[in-house]
Amino acid sequence: MYRFLLTPRWWGINVFAVLAIPFCIFMGSWQLSRFEDRVDNHQQQEDRSDRARTAAARPLEQLLPVDKVTSGRQASARGHYDTGHQLLVPGRTLKDKHGERQGFYVLTLLRTDGGRALPVVRGWLPGDASAKADTAKVPAPPKGEVTVTGALQASENQGTDGVQAADASAPGRLGMISAASLVNIVPYDVYDAWITLSDTQAPLRAVPPAAAEGSGLDLKAFQNLGYTGEWFVFAGFVVFMWFRLFRREVEAAKDAALGIGESGQEGGVAAAGDAGAGRLGAGQEAVGHEAASQEAAGQEAAGQEAAGQEAAGQEAAGRAEAVEDGGSGEGQGEAAARAGKF
């Protein structure tokens, strides 16, 4: 019954199933490990952020370049603010007791002793960066040489939350905080990093540091989790299809053994044809018997008619003889006797 498993077709099916199932399980396990790594990185980043808030500030040069480890660390730099290049970063939200509110960042460049400038986000204000009533609330930066301390952040890119395209027609606006967007605005070099101050001037509010890119539970992490489920579903589907094909072949083999497959159907059709032919022959034979019976009845009726005609002829002959013998009494008596006989 199971000899079909040795056919070339089933060899191909079995080889495919044997290779596909481990592959799907391996890919699902790999995607699951990617999700777990992202969860671990997110937890580690939160732990580092908690330690960074309480750790002592380190010089900026010691923390560059910014990576997952140094992002969020407290950095310090010394220099003086460039009051002529104060910029507003519109379209930024901040959470507070009233929920998320729309506002803008206030960014000022700090000219360090090394000659390069460090973008410093001095704080956040609610409102519209293009409205004079809201921008009038921005306090002036401190004058003279200052030392700033804040959370170190990596340069933004097009995928960063809140980033908008820079409006070239609006001076004093900046859509993305990065060295690439500032190089055409200021006439000096800029660090490929920025800091957000923890101590701000009123009415500015401190901007909390953002998690390093690729360290949080973003959409990619949940995509890995979704891919994990898909690969395991694929493995189960391969097992299901193999079992379904196997069961169908077994049932076909049983039907063939019992003669109820295609050959059995052909035999049934032939038997039905023979039975129909038999019934047709029987009907024709019955019709033949009926015709023979009718023919015999016709012959019998013809015999009776012939007998009647013979009797009528004898009667006519007797009458003629009586007329011929009518002259004598004896002849008449004989004729009467004959007539009585008839």
Side-chain angles (χ1 to χ4, degrees):
M1 183 178 297
Y2 302 113
R3 291 181 180 178
F4 61 86
L5 293 174
L6 301 178
T7 60
R9 172 173 173 268
W10 270 94
W11 269 106
I13 295 174
N14 293 333
V15 170
F16 173 78
V18 168
L19 295 178
I21 293 173
F23 177 76
C24 293
I25 294 176
F26 168 77
M27 292 299 297
S29 302
W30 179 74
Q31 291 290 346
L32 181 61
S33 66
R34 293 286 296 170
F35 173 74
E36 292 175 347
D37 290 341
R38 292 183 183 274
V39 172
D40 294 339
N41 290 336
H42 175 67
Q43 186 63 41
Q44 293 173 5
Q45 181 65 26
E46 288 185 345
D47 295 341
R48 285 195 298 266
S49 299
D50 294 338
R51 292 193 301 267
R53 295 188 183 97
T54 58
R58 297 177 59 183
L60 175 65
E61 298 291 344
Q62 297 180 9
L63 299 176
L64 296 178
V66 184
D67 55 18
K68 293 181 180 180
V69 177
T70 60
S71 179
R73 294 289 301 271
Q74 293 293 313
S76 62
R78 187 172 181 82
H80 62 276
Y81 285 113
D82 183 1
T83 56
H85 291 92
Q86 181 165 267
L87 303 171
L88 303 179
V89 185
R92 300 303 174 105
T93 59
L94 192 68
K95 292 182 180 180
D96 57 9
K97 61 182 180 180
H98 302 291
E100 291 188 354
R101 290 196 296 169
Q102 191 78 8
F104 55 91
Y105 292 167
V106 178
L107 184 145
T108 309
L109 293 166
L110 180 72
R111 298 291 301 274
T112 64
D113 297 337
R116 287 194 292 178
L118 174 66
V120 178
V121 174
R122 295 168 50 216
W124 174 87
L125 278 177
D128 189 357
S130 60
K132 292 183 178 180
D134 295 330
T135 58
K137 301 177 183 179
V138 178
K143 296 181 179 180
E145 192 171 24
V146 295
T147 300
V148 297
T149 301
L152 184 64
Q153 300 282 269
S155 293
E156 295 180 338
N157 53 53
Q158 293 293 339
T160 306
D161 292 339
V163 168
Q164 298 179 1
D167 189 357
S169 64
R173 305 289 188 271
L174 184 67
M176 181 171 59
I177 307 174
S178 67
S181 60
L182 289 167
V183 69
N184 296 324
I185 298 177
V186 297
Y188 40 76
D189 294 334
V190 180
Y191 283 105
D192 190 17
W194 58 283
I195 66 172
T196 171
L197 299 181
S198 53
D199 296 329
T200 61
Q201 299 173 262
L204 297 175
R205 298 190 56 186
V207 176
E213 185 177 359
S215 62
L217 291 179
D218 52 4
L219 181 60
K220 292 182 179 180
F222 293 101
Q223 284 179 346
N224 293 134
L225 186 62
Y227 294 152
T228 299
E230 287 182 1
W231 282 112
F232 287 141
V233 168
F234 291 159
F237 180 74
V238 172
V239 174
F240 168 75
M241 289 303 299
W242 184 93
F243 178 75
R244 185 175 181 180
L245 291 174
F246 174 79
R247 187 176 63 179
R248 188 177 67 178
E249 291 287 345
V250 171
E251 291 176 352
K254 290 181 178 179
D255 293 344
L258 295 175
I260 59 176
E262 295 181 356
S263 59
Q265 293 177 354
E266 293 177 357
V269 172
D274 293 342
R279 288 195 295 270
L280 180 61
Q284 293 176 350
E285 184 176 358
V287 171
H289 286 316
E290 183 178 358
S293 299
Q294 292 177 355
E295 184 178 0
Q299 292 176 356
E300 183 178 359
Q304 292 177 356
E305 183 179 0
Q309 292 177 354
E310 183 178 0
Q314 291 176 0
E315 182 179 0
R319 287 179 180 178
E321 185 177 357
V323 172
E324 183 179 357
D325 293 336
S328 61
E330 183 181 359
Q332 293 177 351
E334 290 178 0
R338 290 178 182 177
K341 288 181 182 181
F342 285 109

